[in-house]
Amino acid sequence: MGCFIAAFLFLSPQVLNSTVMKLQAVKGTFDILPEEQSKWRFVYEVAQRVLEHAGVQELSPPIFEHSEVFTKSVGESADLVVQKEMYSFTDLGGRSLTLRPEFTAGVMRAFIEHGMQMCPSPIKLWSRGPAFRAEKPQKGRYRQFHQINCEILGLKHALVDAEAIALLYQIFSELGLKNLLVKLGSVGDPPDRKAYNQYLREQLGQVQDKLSEVSRERLKLNPMRVLDSKDEGDQAIVRELKRPLDFIGAEARAHFEEVKSYLRNWDIPFEIDDSIVRGLDYYNRTAFEFHHGDIGSQSALCGGGRYDGLVENMGGPKTPGVGWAFGIERVLLALEQDRAELPTQQRLALFLIPMDDEAVAEVAKFALGLRQRFSVEHAYTRRNPGKGLKEADRAGAVFAALRGSKEREAGSYQLKHLASGEQITVSQTQLADFLAARL
Ligand code: AMP
């Protein structure tokens, strides 16, 4: 540290300025500070419990993959590809690698690589961690964000679609989210999708020059994505058109009806969104989103759906699947809006204060033992009682314990409950049990 500061002293003010300017988190990324960690942990804990109680096992794919894993799976026409939203780079071996923009592709690659189709169906996998998209940052939209992702593979049955939605609903309910809106739709089977895309090409082709630039691009590659446009002009045009649900065939419709009847039977409220389309090309049949009314324009907490052709597209065996991913940042924003009670940082149980030099080593050793049961901190040099107690208070400790020559002779600590001011002398051997009884 000393050398580090010395090196800075030799830099000119201009260099120093530019150096300091650069030492900031990259735009669209952020630090999760110590005082925020308990909220994040809460989300992970609830999700993990709900998912693992339903037999969903955790799989952690690497943060980066060969770029083809993503380009092959998301489809050439996906926004991620079209709008160059992927963070791709060439490594020293000349290979193109990409930081994951989402989890599904990596999980499917792992599923195929490890021959998981041999496991009994359904195979349920969940993942957590950061994902990266080079999008324009705004509230609720970041370049590094965090997702919890779930995939259920191996069964085509509508019960699986409903279960995926129910798991998500349970996680959000247990987190304390209110004001939730579950939007449900179906994009049909591939021939239905094809027919609808053809219809859109014909209809939108006639008004091409009235569409926004992004929508014109989407029209060329994947017309269904025009329905997702936020542009008001596009929306006015789209409102006059038929919906994906008008095009779905008999089998997809029956499947959709079954999903709905399970959800009704389980008292999961939802509304039909007849224009729902997912951003990636691999979806078929069920598509859903969970929205929150109060978090602004980026209201989608989660997106998901069925993707029966994906594993096969990626070179694996024919395997149906359903999945979803939710963004933790947006869920935390929504929880704040709902004024949900979130766990706060765990308090330090005890702060030890050495009052002479000999006590410094004594309290440090005592702390090592106590830490097997409690969170314990100590001052690293001798302190007078007033200063030591202030430090204990600043550290957020519940108790402080003072040790000086008098306490050494008696084999004890002077314990103080910082909130009430209550003081008591406790023998060193009984201090752990005392704390256990009082905390
Ligand atoms: P998607 O994979 O685009 O369906 O996204 C699934 C969920 O991830 C969304 O509903 C958001 O909650 C979250 N998400 C996606 N992109 C971002 C982003 N750039 N920043 C923050 N959260 C995001």
Side-chain angles (χ1 to χ4, degrees):
M1 186 67 165
C3 316
F4 196 57
I5 291 167
F8 266 90
L9 293 178
F10 289 108
L11 297 173
S12 70
Q14 289 90 334
V15 172
L16 192 61
N17 235 350
S18 62
T19 312
V20 172
M21 286 298 290
K22 278 187 192 142
L23 297 180
Q24 290 181 340
V26 173
K27 195 173 163 201
T29 74
F30 56 89
D31 302 303
I32 306 169
L33 296 170
E35 58 270 26
E36 291 158 341
Q37 294 290 345
S38 48
K39 289 188 287 190
W40 285 75
R41 243 174 249 158
F42 174 57
V43 177
Y44 287 131
E45 277 165 16
V46 169
Q48 174 162 5
R49 178 168 41 74
V50 171
L51 292 169
E52 293 189 351
H53 281 190
V56 189
Q57 301 187 73
E58 186 168 5
L59 184 145
S60 310
I63 283 176
F64 57 90
E65 300 266 356
H66 290 294
S67 298
E68 305 86 73
V69 169
F70 301 111
T71 49
K72 244 185 159 174
S73 67
V74 301
E76 291 301 317
S77 62
D79 287 358
L80 290 167
V81 179
V82 177
Q83 292 172 30
K84 302 201 175 19
E85 283 175 2
M86 294 203 276
Y87 279 106
S88 298
F89 58 97
T90 307
D91 76 353
L92 291 177
R95 288 169 290 249
S96 173
L97 303 177
T98 295
L99 298 182
R100 64 179 174 221
E102 50 106 35
F103 278 79
T104 305
V107 173
M108 295 308 122
R109 194 265 313 131
F111 176 88
I112 298 167
E113 189 170 332
H114 301 286
M116 288 186 201
Q117 73 276 7
M118 305 307 281
C119 304
S121 288
I123 300 135
K124 304 179 180 180
L125 302 166
W126 76 282
S127 311
R128 62 176 132 191
F132 307 84
R133 293 183 194 174
E135 297 182 284
K136 197 160 170 239
Q138 53 178 289
K139 188 177 172 201
R141 188 169 286 282
Y142 311 99
R143 290 184 171 168
Q144 174 174 329
F145 58 99
H146 299 76
Q147 283 189 336
I148 292 196
N149 183 84
C150 173
E151 314 288 354
I152 309 182
L153 290 138
L155 295 180
K156 275 189 107 149
H157 200 286
L159 178 54
V160 182
D161 308 49
E163 185 185 29
I165 294 170
L167 284 172
L168 195 55
Y169 190 75
Q170 193 184 344
I171 294 171
F172 285 173
S173 302
E174 291 199 19
L175 286 173
L177 276 175
K178 296 174 208 99
N179 209 351
L180 267 184
L181 185 61
V182 183
K183 292 185 177 185
L184 184 68
S186 173
V187 291
D189 284 318
D192 311 334
R193 237 185 124 115
K194 210 169 152 192
Y196 187 56
N197 272 327
Q198 184 54 34
Y199 162 79
L200 289 178
R201 249 183 227 109
E202 284 162 17
Q203 298 296 315
L204 294 172
Q206 296 168 22
V207 286
Q208 247 191 86
D209 44 344
K210 297 201 179 98
L211 290 173
S212 68
E213 201 184 321
V214 174
S215 287
R216 274 204 298 277
E217 195 61 31
R218 285 173 171 172
L219 178 60
K220 271 191 248 153
L221 296 158
N222 184 355
M224 263 167 102
R225 296 281 293 117
V226 178
L227 267 65
D228 253 359
S229 171
K230 301 279 179 287
D231 182 278
E232 278 181 22
D234 294 347
Q235 279 177 1
I237 294 171
V238 160
R239 262 196 295 276
E240 304 301 315
L241 300 174
K242 289 186 185 172
R243 309 275 135 189
L245 267 182
D246 298 324
F247 279 73
I248 69 172
E251 277 183 44
R253 189 165 295 281
H255 188 268
F256 187 49
E257 290 305 319
E258 233 185 307
V259 176
K260 289 195 285 185
S261 79
Y262 280 117
L263 295 179
R264 283 195 197 105
N265 191 252
W266 300 341
D267 292 326
I268 296 177
F270 62 89
E271 75 173 38
I272 302 296
D273 184 337
D274 63 3
S275 62
I276 203 164
V277 289
R278 304 280 308 127
L280 306 177
D281 290 353
Y282 50 64
Y283 288 100
N284 69 310
R285 297 199 174 179
T286 314
F288 56 90
E289 284 175 0
F290 280 46
H291 287 256
H292 188 273
D294 297 327
I295 58 166
S297 61
Q298 305 301 316
S299 69
L301 300 179
C302 170
R306 179 166 278 282
Y307 49 78
D308 292 340
L310 177 61
V311 178
E312 208 180 354
N313 277 355
M314 290 181 69
K318 216 173 165 144
T319 313
V322 184
W324 50 250
F326 72 81
I328 299 179
E329 290 81 359
R330 286 195 203 168
V331 165
L332 288 175
L333 274 176
L335 284 168
E336 268 165 36
Q337 283 295 331
D338 283 348
R339 298 188 195 291
E341 235 173 80
L342 295 176
T344 46
Q345 211 173 359
Q346 272 255 303
R347 288 191 62 186
L348 184 68
L350 177 67
F351 190 91
L352 296 166
I353 305 163
M355 294 190 290
D356 58 24
D357 287 339
E358 218 176 317
V360 172
E362 284 171 0
V363 305
K365 182 166 182 197
F366 192 38
L368 290 182
L370 286 174
R371 283 173 180 166
Q372 289 173 6
R373 294 174 68 183
F374 314 102
S375 55
V376 180
E377 251 294 29
H378 57 79
Y380 284 79
T381 53
R382 92 180 125 89
R383 296 275 188 274
N384 67 44
K387 200 167 170 215
L389 288 170
K390 257 193 206 146
E391 213 171 322
D393 213 26
R394 266 207 311 274
V398 180
F399 286 98
L402 296 140
R403 174 85 163 189
S405 59
K406 212 167 86 205
E407 289 75 21
R408 184 171 310 113
E409 260 168 46
S412 65
Y413 275 83
Q414 249 188 82
L415 203 64
K416 184 167 180 176
H417 186 256
L418 289 164
S420 66
E422 172 198 358
Q423 289 199 43
I424 177 171
T425 303
V426 182
S427 94
Q428 178 162 341
T429 50
Q430 285 170 357
L431 198 136
D433 289 338
F434 179 90
L435 283 180
R438 288 291 301 272
L439 287 169

